[in-house]
Amino acid sequence: MAIDPLSNARSERRWAFAMVGAAMMMLFAIVWASLSPHMNPPSNIENVDPNTLHIAGEFTEDNLGTQVDAKGRVTTRIVTSQFSFAPECVVVPQDMQVTFRFVSPDVIHGLLVVGTNINTMVVPGYVSQVHTMFDKPGDMLMPCHEFCGLGHSQMVAHVRVVPIADFKPDENGRVACAEH
Amino acid sequence: MGYVLTTFFIMGFGYFVAESALRQPLPAPRLAWLGFILGIVGTVMVVATVLTGHASVMFTFYPPLTASPIFYLGLVLVVVGSWIWCVLMLVAMMRWKRANPGQPVPLAMYATAANAVLWLWTTIGVAVELLFVVIPAAFGWTQTVDVGLTRTLFSWTLHAIVYFWLIPAYIAFYTIAPQAAGGRLFSDLMARASFILFLLCGLPVGLHHLFMDPEHSTGFKSIQMILTVLVAVPTLLTVFTVTASMETAGRLRGGKGLFGWIGALPWERPMVLATGLSFFMLWFGGFGGLINMSYGMNAMVHNTSWVSAHFHMIFGGSVVIMYFAIAYHIWPSLAGRAAPSVALQRIQLWLWAVGMMVMSMPWHWLGLNGQVRRVAQFDYADPSMSWWTPWMAVSLAGGFVLVVSAALFIWNLVSFHVERSAGVYPAPVKYATALHPDQPVPAALNGFALWNVFVLILMAAAYSYPIAQFFILNPPQAVVHRVDR
């Protein structure tokens, strides 16, 4: 086998350029996805006091679940705590923009909805906000995905996606999974 | 597992390299034993608190969950033991350089010292988190925790720690495997450059573990994402240099044609076999890693079994199988005996690779379908989860194969000492020489002063505001949640 230092160095340099090029292509694809279709992770730095959020403000019990505001915007508010979601089932309309807002009064939680872009940590002290649009009706799984204590495995909720025709807010703009 | 297996293996291998590659005695062996004893005492403290249910916070802690202070102090002792190792490695290298002025430090030692430097930088984050936030809370001195701050400090450590675990495997790729295969190292300089790239790019990237966190802005997340893309480069360079080194071995053994050299390699040698299996798993683990770091795409996989599959493949698979092979490679010179059965060593390595593939592959698929991680049990009666059952059974079977392999590994090492083998005194471990050993090594690639300055600049750019923001914005704190009483 011929051992030629110059040709070795050349092939090595070529490979290095090719690999840096490949990395740059990946980077380009990621940056494009972030700028053009706005595929960004949830990053709204918005504070909420974990010790008082249940007493006053946006996340008191009456305000939890799905609500349609005067402008027709759909917002779903959920409190995650050891070891359940409140509420454990939420209703959302199909083919409409939905904003989810999550808070935790105790420890770190996290969640995802299978098959969607909903995936966020819920860190005490912060509001986690995710926007999405569901394209199919049905019940979707929303488990807690971050270790929050020994009951973590039991912490599961569901998102019920209904066609717009079946999405009927009451006089306060609220929609819930079950009639009370 | 993540802390104990790795830290003890890396310390032991480092001491071995410092003596065998530099051919000089280890400076202050008593200090080395002190580090070892601190590590053992720390491990006992950690294991005792975990097994008695006083530290169910897992190994990333999740404050405001707070365990018994003994758990955290045990971890501190393990880390302090490893700091002693770091200092000894750097002292050993400096002594050698003083005794051999103008000579390049042997590659195996240079890489080991790079790992020591990396580890000193890496542990700053977790040390600050433990000493200033978590341990005061565990003793009851403080009642609240800034959760965003603790997550950010831990992220400082969280990614670079895996390079600390990985580098010994790469040392074996570069300096032991080519020798074991009967070849030469293709390029000494490229190897040095790869280790330096790990040092530079492995650290300022920890925020990619916090892509889905609400306490950081898209700006700093994207800066660290860009640096994460670069971290793929040293691995891709390694793939080339190590493959080319193995090719020289295959061709020297008479392999012909484009791929003929692969068959000509001495696959019956455990080090060569392990390198092959490790590379095979590196493709899957590396691919998974590229998906994980892809910013927007991370939402598909964050905290799912996909991530568990990724690091089992790349750490449990690619890296740990090289730990096994290194142990087999250096044990004869430690025990003063030849291996009783190389065939059993091969079987152990095969079982490990097959077990790891069978266990991790279903997790990739289930993770994409929303199976979350860190869960003790699933409700298989739920229709959206019931179809996971057969895949979990496959994964479990892979896990059993791994247990058998691990037991066989321990037996393979014990058997050096129990069986009265013929006792051919083995040759001391040799490290691969470069194809062109006369190539001059620039001073920058023979020390770390310059690179430490670069690491400082990169870390300042990547982490100064993300950490400072917690003191500027003063976010509301969370109440400590004790799990130990």
Side-chain angles (χ1 to χ4, degrees):
Chain A
M1 190 182 90
I3 298 178
D4 170 12
L6 279 179
S7 93
N8 278 0
R10 203 162 43 236
S11 57
E12 207 170 68
R13 210 172 316 125
R14 273 195 207 133
W15 173 268
F17 280 130
M19 288 305 106
V20 172
M24 288 306 119
M25 274 166 62
M26 280 187 281
L27 187 58
F28 177 79
I30 295 166
V31 171
W32 177 82
S34 135
L35 296 179
S36 179
H38 297 292
M39 282 171 56
N40 286 298
S43 312
N44 60 313
I45 305 179
E46 183 185 342
N47 290 125
V48 63
D49 189 341
N51 302 311
T52 55
L53 59 86
H54 62 293
I55 301 170
E58 189 187 341
F59 292 97
T60 52
E61 199 176 349
D62 281 354
N63 286 327
L64 301 183
T66 303
Q67 210 162 7
V68 186
D69 70 4
K71 290 182 181 158
R73 288 176 303 203
V74 184
T75 306
T76 301
R77 295 179 182 85
I78 298 177
V79 174
T80 61
S81 60
Q82 282 179 329
F83 298 101
S84 62
F85 291 81
E88 296 216 303
C89 173
V90 291
V91 179
V92 292
Q94 189 188 336
D95 298 330
M96 271 178 80
Q97 172 103 4
V98 182
T99 300
F100 281 83
R101 286 168 67 76
F102 303 94
V103 289
S104 162
D106 48 28
V107 299
I108 301 167
H109 301 277
L111 55 96
L112 58 80
V113 178
V114 178
T116 72
N117 66 326
I118 298 180
N119 189 332
T120 184
M121 302 299 301
V122 188
V123 177
Y126 296 86
V127 179
S128 305
Q129 181 168 288
V130 196
H131 309 281
T132 197
M133 203 184 282
F134 296 93
D135 53 6
K136 284 193 294 283
D139 262 16
M140 306 181 86
L141 192 64
M142 182 166 69
C144 177
H145 73 26
E146 190 56 281
F147 180 76
C148 53
L150 292 179
H152 167 53
S153 309
Q154 276 73 47
M155 194 168 159
V156 175
H158 287 89
V159 175
R160 180 166 301 161
V161 186
V162 297
I164 293 178
D166 299 336
F167 184 75
K168 295 185 177 124
D170 66 9
E171 63 276 17
N172 299 319
R174 294 168 48 85
V175 190
C177 275
E179 302 294 324
H180 291 292
Chain B
M1 177 88 173
Y3 291 143
V4 176
L5 167 82
T6 49
T7 309
F8 280 91
F9 173 81
I10 292 166
M11 291 199 292
F13 182 46
Y15 293 137
F16 181 85
V17 169
E19 291 218 324
S20 60
L22 298 184
R23 296 193 195 149
Q24 66 177 26
L26 191 69
R30 283 213 183 130
L31 270 183
W33 281 113
L34 175 68
F36 178 72
I37 290 164
L38 287 179
I40 295 282
V41 172
T43 306
V44 170
M45 288 161 70
V46 169
V47 171
T49 44
V50 169
L51 291 184
T52 53
H54 291 86
S56 302
V57 294
M58 310 186 70
F59 83 135
T60 45
F61 318 145
Y62 302 110
L65 290 179
T66 302
S68 156
I70 298 170
F71 169 75
Y72 303 112
L73 291 176
L75 277 173
V76 170
L77 287 188
V78 175
V79 172
V80 170
S82 70
W83 281 345
I84 294 178
W85 172 82
C86 292
V87 172
L88 289 178
M89 289 300 101
L90 295 174
V91 170
M93 189 179 105
M94 280 176 213
R95 273 195 189 172
W96 190 91
K97 277 174 85 168
R98 219 174 298 136
N100 302 272
Q103 295 288 311
V105 178
L107 178 61
M109 189 61 212
Y110 185 69
T112 303
N115 208 14
V117 175
L118 174 73
W119 184 235
L120 287 171
W121 278 103
T122 302
T123 42
I124 293 173
V126 73
V128 172
E129 184 201 2
L130 283 177
L131 297 178
F132 293 102
V133 186
V134 173
I135 290 179
F139 275 112
W141 301 332
T142 53
Q143 313 306 325
T144 58
V145 174
D146 186 332
V147 185
L149 174 64
T150 57
R151 286 180 71 72
T152 308
L153 288 173
F154 196 81
S155 83
W156 172 304
T157 300
L158 189 50
H159 199 69
I161 195 172
V162 301
Y163 291 110
F164 172 61
W165 301 340
L166 184 92
I167 282 179
Y170 277 52
I171 294 175
F173 286 160
Y174 279 115
T175 67
I176 302 180
Q179 173 77 21
R184 297 282 184 82
L185 172 60
F186 190 74
S187 166
D188 180 80
L189 284 185
M190 198 61 131
R192 284 166 197 265
S194 296
F195 287 112
I196 290 300
L197 280 174
F198 276 126
L199 176 61
L200 292 182
C201 307
L203 277 154
V205 297
L207 276 197
H208 73 218
H209 292 254
L210 306 184
F211 278 162
M212 296 298 135
D213 270 44
E215 75 272 13
H216 288 291
S217 63
T218 43
F220 279 97
K221 285 178 182 173
S222 13
I223 288 174
Q224 299 216 8
M225 176 272 292
I226 293 167
L227 291 164
T228 310
V229 174
L230 298 179
V231 108
V233 172
T235 288
L236 293 166
L237 296 181
T238 302
V239 168
F240 176 81
T241 307
V242 175
T243 309
S245 306
M246 294 311 240
E247 187 186 344
T248 62
R251 297 213 185 279
L252 285 173
R253 294 170 61 87
K256 300 251 183 296
L258 207 49
F259 296 108
W261 60 271
I262 299 176
L265 287 173
W267 292 108
E268 71 283 358
R269 298 181 191 165
M271 179 55 74
V272 179
L273 175 65
T275 301
L277 293 171
S278 177
F279 264 51
F280 181 73
M281 290 185 278
L282 193 65
W283 286 115
F284 297 96
F287 173 75
L290 291 175
I291 303 289
N292 297 344
M293 66 97 204
S294 296
Y295 197 59
M297 245 201 290
N298 183 253
M300 297 194 311
V301 295
H302 174 73
N303 266 354
T304 67
S305 300
W306 170 280
V307 180
S308 316
H310 156 68
F311 65 72
H312 275 82
M313 205 62 101
I314 206 152
F315 170 67
S318 297
V319 172
V320 172
I321 208 166
M322 293 310 290
Y323 287 5
F324 293 146
I326 292 169
Y328 291 148
H329 195 73
I330 69 179
W331 216 267
S333 68
L334 294 178
R337 287 185 188 171
S341 169
V342 177
L344 275 183
Q345 295 183 353
R346 283 199 299 269
I347 290 173
Q348 189 265 327
L349 295 171
W350 272 111
L351 284 178
W352 191 261
V354 170
M356 199 56 78
M357 293 295 289
V358 172
M359 184 176 77
S360 309
M361 278 302 164
W363 292 351
H364 278 112
W365 179 240
L366 292 174
L368 281 180
N369 283 284
Q371 187 191 61
V372 295
R373 62 189 271 220
R374 305 191 184 103
V375 169
Q377 73 229 22
F378 293 106
D379 176 14
Y380 292 111
D382 188 309
S384 47
M385 293 185 246
S386 56
W387 67 272
W388 296 352
T389 318
W391 290 107
M392 289 307 283
V394 171
S395 177
L396 185 66
F400 279 121
V401 176
L402 289 176
V403 171
V404 172
S405 173
L408 184 56
F409 170 68
I410 293 169
W411 167 251
N412 280 342
L413 292 191
V414 170
S415 67
F416 272 98
H417 304 278
V418 293
E419 280 178 21
R420 298 192 174 274
S421 56
V424 189
Y425 194 78
V429 168
K430 269 198 212 137
Y431 295 92
T433 44
L435 265 182
H436 312 293
D438 309 329
Q439 227 175 4
V441 174
L445 289 178
N446 203 31
F448 300 101
L450 173 69
W451 308 115
N452 276 322
V453 175
F454 279 124
V455 172
L456 186 66
I457 295 169
L458 282 170
M459 286 310 265
Y463 266 106
S464 55
Y465 182 74
I467 290 175
Q469 66 165 350
F470 298 105
F471 300 96
I472 298 167
L473 303 175
N474 235 336
Q477 308 225 329
V479 176
V480 164
H481 274 62
R482 298 212 73 100
V483 299
D484 61 332
R485 52 179 85 134

